[in-house]
């Protein structure tokens, strides 16, 4: 489904950086890629679903805290003061309500957020993959699952989850982006008042939530990450399944999104035969054996031309 002009306008007002990244990704022709261990890739294909894991067990356990710290500092600074005076002038008492609601929810941003990570994939990476990602996520036998981007960039309410680009920002850069949102609100004040307080409040709170969940230290910028985000206490979906899985020897609660289309809800392109573009076998001791097994998995999943879609990276990385 194509978003309405009003929806696009509000997206541009409250999430200008993400709006630009979405448009750039759509026009670039790039795909997404999920770097993982071969075990995780095996589970994904065989089970026909992708797992979302708690943000508390992500590689960089400070990720959520970093975004939260950036937002709090901006809120307490000059730009935050300007935002508070602006929104209270539009809807009296809004800044206090927003602060109270945010304080209530902020502990759950880590405790009740489940994430699957994707990276932008360049055409030039089709044969080798990306060395830094093999090192970070491949383990002794890494696999990169390259997927077509359509379903991740679509507008649909089929699942109570959303896909967002990650912003790699210093505090000063975060302040600049925060100020962009404030300026946008000032410039569109009459339009936003006409939309009503609740609509305005919901969009601003969601912008704050996204800023916390999708801001990372600029040292990670080479990952070019996008996140699939689900928070069951915030917005539960009957289509996303909870289970307890053993991951690297540790039991964890995970939520799984089936690779299934919901055409009546404008959610298409998620089924494996259409979703998988190619698979790159990373540096490993037995690459030919892993490739052969992966081809069989894809054939069992009815992915067409499976053998032509699985390649072995020739990067000479020692594990």
């Amino acid at each position: 489904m194509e978003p309405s002009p009003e929806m696009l306008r509000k997206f541009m007002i409250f999430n200008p950086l993400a709006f630009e990244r979405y448009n750039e990704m759509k026009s670039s022709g790039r795909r997404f890629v999920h770097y993982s261990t071969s075990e995780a890739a095996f589970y994904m294909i065989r089970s026909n679903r992708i797992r979302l894991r708690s943000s508390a067990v992500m590689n960089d356990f400070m990720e959520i805290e970093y975004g939260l710290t950036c937002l709090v500092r901006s809120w307490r600074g000059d730009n935050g003061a300007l935002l508070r005076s602006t929104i209270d002038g539009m809807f009296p008492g809004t800044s206090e309500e927003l602060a109270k609601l945010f304080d209530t929810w902020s502990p759950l941003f880590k405790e009740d957020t489940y994430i699957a990570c994707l990276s932008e994939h360049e055409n030039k990476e089709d044969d080798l993959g990306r060395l830094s990602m093999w090192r970070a996520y491949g383990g002794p036998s890494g696999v990169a699952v390259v997927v077509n981007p359509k379903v991740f960039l679509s507008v649909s309410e089929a699942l109570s989850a959303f896909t967002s680009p990650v912003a790699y920002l210093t505090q000063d850069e975060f302040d600049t982006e925060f100020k962009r949102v404030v300026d946008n609100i000032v410039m569109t004040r009459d339009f936003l008042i006409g939309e009503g307080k609740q609509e305005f409040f919901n969009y601003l709170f969601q912008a704050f939530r996204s800023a916390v969940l999708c801001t990372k230290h600029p040292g990670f910028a080479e990952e070019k990450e996008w996140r699939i985000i689900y928070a069951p206490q915030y917005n539960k979906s009957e289509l996303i399944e909870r289970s307890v899985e053993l991951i690297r020897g540790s039991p964890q609660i995970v939520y799984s999104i089936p690779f299934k289309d919901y055409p009546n809800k404008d959610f298409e392109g998620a089924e494996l035969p259409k979703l998988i573009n190619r698979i790159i076998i990373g540096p490993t001791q037995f690459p030919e054996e892993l490739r052969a097994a992966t081809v069989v998995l894809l054939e069992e999943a009815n992915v067409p031309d499976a053998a032509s879609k699985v390649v072995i990276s020739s990067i000479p990385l020692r594990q």
Side-chain angles (χ1 to χ4, degrees):
M1 179 181 73
E2 288 297 320
S4 67
E6 291 78 13
M7 184 183 297
L8 284 175
R9 187 178 185 186
K10 283 179 276 193
F11 187 21
M12 184 171 56
I13 292 169
F14 293 98
N15 302 90
L17 184 58
F19 177 81
E20 292 164 358
R21 292 281 304 281
Y22 267 97
N23 286 338
E24 197 275 332
M25 184 66 188
K26 284 182 176 180
S27 63
S28 69
R30 290 195 294 270
R31 292 149 290 162
F32 287 120
V33 58
H34 178 67
Y35 282 87
S36 69
T37 64
S38 57
E39 179 182 358
F42 171 87
Y43 174 89
M44 180 189 300
I45 300 169
R46 175 58 63 83
S47 69
N48 199 37
R49 65 195 65 236
I50 187 169
R51 291 185 294 204
L52 283 68
R53 299 173 63 199
S54 170
S55 62
V57 299
M58 295 175 68
N59 280 24
D60 177 9
F61 66 93
M62 292 297 293
E63 288 183 7
I64 304 300
E65 283 84 352
Y66 183 81
L68 180 59
T69 298
C70 288
L71 180 60
V72 169
R73 287 177 178 172
S74 290
W75 175 260
R76 291 175 177 171
D78 292 341
N79 292 328
L82 177 58
L83 176 63
R84 291 193 294 276
S85 65
T86 299
I87 63 180
D88 285 340
M90 297 165 58
F91 303 105
T94 299
S95 66
E96 184 177 356
E97 292 177 40
L98 180 64
K100 287 182 178 179
L101 183 63
F102 189 82
D103 287 344
T104 299
W105 274 98
S106 57
L108 294 173
F109 290 153
K110 183 173 182 178
E111 299 169 10
D112 185 53
T113 300
Y114 293 81
I115 293 173
C117 299
L118 304 169
S119 288
E120 295 179 19
H121 182 78
E122 306 278 355
N123 290 338
K124 63 184 180 182
E125 297 173 322
D126 270 357
D127 294 325
L128 300 180
R130 196 179 314 159
L131 178 58
S132 61
M133 299 298 283
W134 292 129
R135 285 174 168 162
Y137 301 103
S141 58
V143 171
V145 182
V146 182
V147 295
N148 295 313
K150 176 183 176 181
V151 70
F152 302 103
L153 300 175
S154 64
V155 177
S156 172
E157 296 182 355
L159 303 174
S160 300
F162 67 97
T163 306
S164 175
V166 168
Y168 300 93
L169 303 172
T170 65
Q171 181 64 58
D172 286 345
E173 291 168 337
F174 189 98
D175 286 337
T176 298
E177 293 302 322
F178 190 97
K179 182 63 161 51
R180 287 178 72 188
V181 176
V182 178
D183 290 344
N184 286 345
I185 292 173
V186 170
M187 289 187 295
T188 59
R189 183 177 186 275
D190 292 341
F191 165 73
L192 294 172
I193 290 175
E195 292 293 292
K197 178 180 177 178
Q198 193 59 52
E199 182 82 354
F200 172 80
F201 190 91
N202 292 343
Y203 267 89
L204 186 55
F205 179 79
Q206 181 59 30
F208 274 27
R209 177 171 173 252
S210 296
V212 171
L213 299 178
C214 298
T215 302
K216 290 182 69 171
H217 190 281
F220 296 98
E222 65 183 7
E223 293 181 351
K224 304 176 185 177
E225 183 182 347
W226 289 58
R227 291 178 168 175
I228 306 169
I229 297 174
Y230 175 60
Q233 292 189 52
Y234 184 79
N235 194 5
K236 187 175 181 180
S237 171
E238 299 300 324
L239 303 177
I240 298 179
E241 305 164 1
R242 186 184 70 174
S243 61
V244 176
E245 307 284 348
L246 193 64
I247 300 176
R248 298 179 183 177
S250 176
Q252 298 176 18
I253 295 174
V254 301
Y255 284 85
S256 299
I257 299 178
F259 293 128
K260 183 178 180 181
D261 287 350
Y262 299 96
N264 61 324
K265 297 183 179 181
D266 299 304
F267 189 81
E268 296 186 81
E271 295 177 352
L272 281 180
K274 294 176 287 186
L275 182 67
I276 290 184
N277 181 272
R278 71 195 286 108
I279 291 181
I280 308 171
I281 306 299
T284 183
Q285 186 176 2
F286 304 109
E288 293 291 350
E289 288 76 4
L290 181 52
R291 178 187 179 276
T294 303
V295 170
V296 171
L297 279 177
L298 293 184
E299 290 173 343
E300 291 176 348
N302 298 316
V303 174
D305 303 316
S308 66
K309 293 183 177 179
V310 186
V311 299
I312 296 173
S313 172
S314 60
I315 292 180
L317 173 64
R318 290 184 179 180
Q319 298 287 0

